[in-house]
């Protein structure tokens, strides 16, 4: 084979190696309400050992979620195969409230539907993926889970 024919093959091979070594894209979470979808990457993201972390203040999604309407949340397997939960803020009767789902076990689910009581208005929802490490609570000495990544939804027209 001539040198002229080898150059394109070498360049193609180098491109394949470069793409194989690049970091995979970060997982995205999909939020859905009233026939509208919003997708976002993580606002904060750490590996499972919390050795490598990055923040993206521009990440986050906005979606209109009227009172009495559910918010559906879909996560990719990378999140679903970890321990995760949803935290949220809402207003009911003029009072701001906070809530959280139960903690979902690794592999338990890839979706969750958030339904608020009565005429409550959702303000924010946050998917939290736990890291694979524990820390000690400085006040109690009890072990606590570390949130390793977050995906944030702000509800359109609401102040959080």
């Amino acid at each position: 084979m001539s040198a002229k024919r080898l150059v394109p093959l070498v360049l193609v091979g180098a491109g394949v190696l470069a793409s194989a070594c690049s970091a995979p894209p970060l997982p995205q979470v999909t939020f859905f309400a009233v026939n509208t979808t919003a997708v976002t990457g993580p606002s904060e993201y750490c590996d499972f050992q919390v050795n490598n972390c990055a923040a993206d203040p521009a990440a986050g999604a906005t979606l209109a979620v009227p009172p009495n309407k559910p918010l559906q949340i879909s996560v990719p397997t990378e999140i679903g195969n970890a321990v995760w939960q949803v935290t949220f803020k809402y207003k009911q009767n003029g009072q701001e409230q906070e809530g959280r789902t139960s903690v979902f076990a690794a592999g338990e689910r890839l979706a969750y539907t958030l339904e608020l009581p009565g005429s409550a208005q959702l303000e924010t929802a946050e998917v939290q993926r736990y890291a694979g490490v524990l820390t000690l609570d400085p006040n109690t000495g009890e072990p606590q889970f570390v949130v390793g990544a977050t995906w944030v939804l702000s509800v359109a027209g609401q102040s959080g």
Side-chain angles (χ1 to χ4, degrees):
M1 195 177 266
S2 74
K4 286 184 181 181
R5 296 178 101 188
L6 283 177
V7 172
L9 291 176
V10 170
L11 291 176
V12 168
V16 169
L17 285 176
S19 66
C21 295
S22 64
L26 296 177
Q28 295 187 319
V29 170
T30 302
F31 297 95
F32 177 83
V34 194
N35 298 321
T36 306
T37 300
V39 179
T40 185
S43 299
E44 296 179 4
Y45 189 87
C46 296
D47 63 19
F48 283 104
Q49 297 305 313
V50 194
N51 292 324
N52 299 306
C53 297
D56 183 358
T62 302
L63 183 66
V65 184
N68 295 321
K69 297 295 181 185
L71 173 68
Q72 295 174 324
I73 302 166
S74 178
V75 302
T77 55
E78 182 178 331
I79 299 169
N81 285 340
V83 176
W84 66 285
Q85 74 174 14
V86 178
T87 63
F88 50 95
K89 291 182 184 177
Y90 62 97
K91 276 195 178 170
Q92 186 172 34
N93 301 323
Q95 299 290 318
E96 187 166 283
Q97 307 285 325
E98 293 185 9
R100 65 182 58 240
T101 65
S102 59
V103 175
F104 307 123
E108 180 180 346
R109 60 173 53 218
L110 295 176
Y112 178 77
T113 300
L114 175 60
E115 297 184 69
L116 297 176
S119 62
Q121 174 61 63
L122 182 65
E123 293 183 328
T124 63
E126 182 175 307
V127 171
Q128 299 178 332
R129 189 211 68 203
Y130 288 95
V133 297
L134 293 173
T135 61
L136 295 180
D137 183 308
N139 298 321
T140 66
E142 295 291 317
Q144 60 186 11
F145 289 99
V146 174
V147 173
T150 59
W151 293 260
V152 179
L153 174 75
S154 298
V155 175
Q158 304 301 312
S159 58

